[in-house]
Amino acid sequence: MGINREALATAMGEALRCAREAGKNADVPVGAVMLDRDGAIAARSYNRREQEGDPLSHAEIEVIRAAAAVNGSWNLAEFTLVVTLEPCPMCAGAAVSAHVGSIVFGAWDPKMGACGSVWDIPRDPHIGAHPQVTGGIREEECSRLLNSFFEQHRPRSRHHPGSPC
């Protein structure tokens, strides 16, 4: 990954801004940006499942689509996906299928994470493309945003102790 950690932290700040937009729409506050090879933001998006009524409208899927349109190609090998939450299996698979060069995320997802915590799709030896993965960029801030959302929108019950969802 040719983009330095400081630039990634700045990009994560923009992803956090996008995540807050998702939260305003009662969506889980996950935001994503796609950086081009020079580290410039090529696309940005956020979760839109509630807004669009589409279960596939995760921030990562939306930003991959937008970046492919900007790039004029589905192949995003020279791009870096920056997202506030570790991608789920669907989103990790989409990033691998789009040949995204690097995946950078903030908060780890111990329930559905597929970039190293529960599963590790990008490093699966059976898959051809292997993006570089970096987790924990502005992790505390990303986690705090998610936890705050779940405390407000999905109060914990006796049936799901300790679960953020």
Side-chain angles (χ1 to χ4, degrees):
M1 176 174 52
I3 302 168
N4 68 43
R5 201 163 179 89
E6 184 178 315
L8 292 176
T10 299
M12 187 62 75
E14 181 61 16
L16 279 159
R17 189 193 66 71
C18 291
R20 289 182 193 96
E21 287 298 314
K24 289 177 186 176
N25 295 316
D27 257 304
V28 175
V30 176
V33 298
M34 191 72 78
L35 304 178
D36 66 17
R37 76 181 97 177
D38 299 320
I41 295 175
R44 58 180 54 82
S45 197
Y46 50 85
N47 275 359
R48 297 173 189 266
R49 292 185 310 169
E50 297 296 330
Q51 184 179 347
E52 300 293 329
D54 181 353
L56 305 181
S57 287
H58 289 206
E60 300 94 327
I61 300 298
E62 297 293 327
V63 83
I64 287 169
R65 286 181 177 143
V70 167
N71 190 39
S73 170
W74 64 269
N75 189 325
L76 302 175
E78 295 188 11
F79 288 74
T80 298
L81 170 64
V82 179
V83 60
T84 56
L85 179 65
E86 180 183 7
C88 70
M90 176 181 72
C91 294
V96 168
S97 293
H99 293 196
V100 170
S102 299
I103 300 170
V104 176
F105 62 89
W108 293 88
D109 185 348
K111 184 177 177 184
M112 289 294 291
C115 289
S117 60
V118 180
W119 299 281
D120 200 350
I121 291 172
R123 295 183 194 104
D124 187 307
H126 302 98
I127 297 174
H130 296 280
Q132 184 175 352
V133 177
T134 304
I137 302 293
R138 294 179 71 166
E139 179 177 6
E140 188 175 314
E141 194 175 351
C142 293
S143 294
R144 200 169 39 246
L145 179 63
L146 287 159
N147 290 335
S148 174
F149 174 84
F150 287 119
E151 286 171 4
Q152 292 174 8
H153 290 86
R154 299 182 187 168
R156 295 178 188 200
S157 71
R158 294 181 317 162
H159 304 289
H160 302 286
S163 173
C165 299

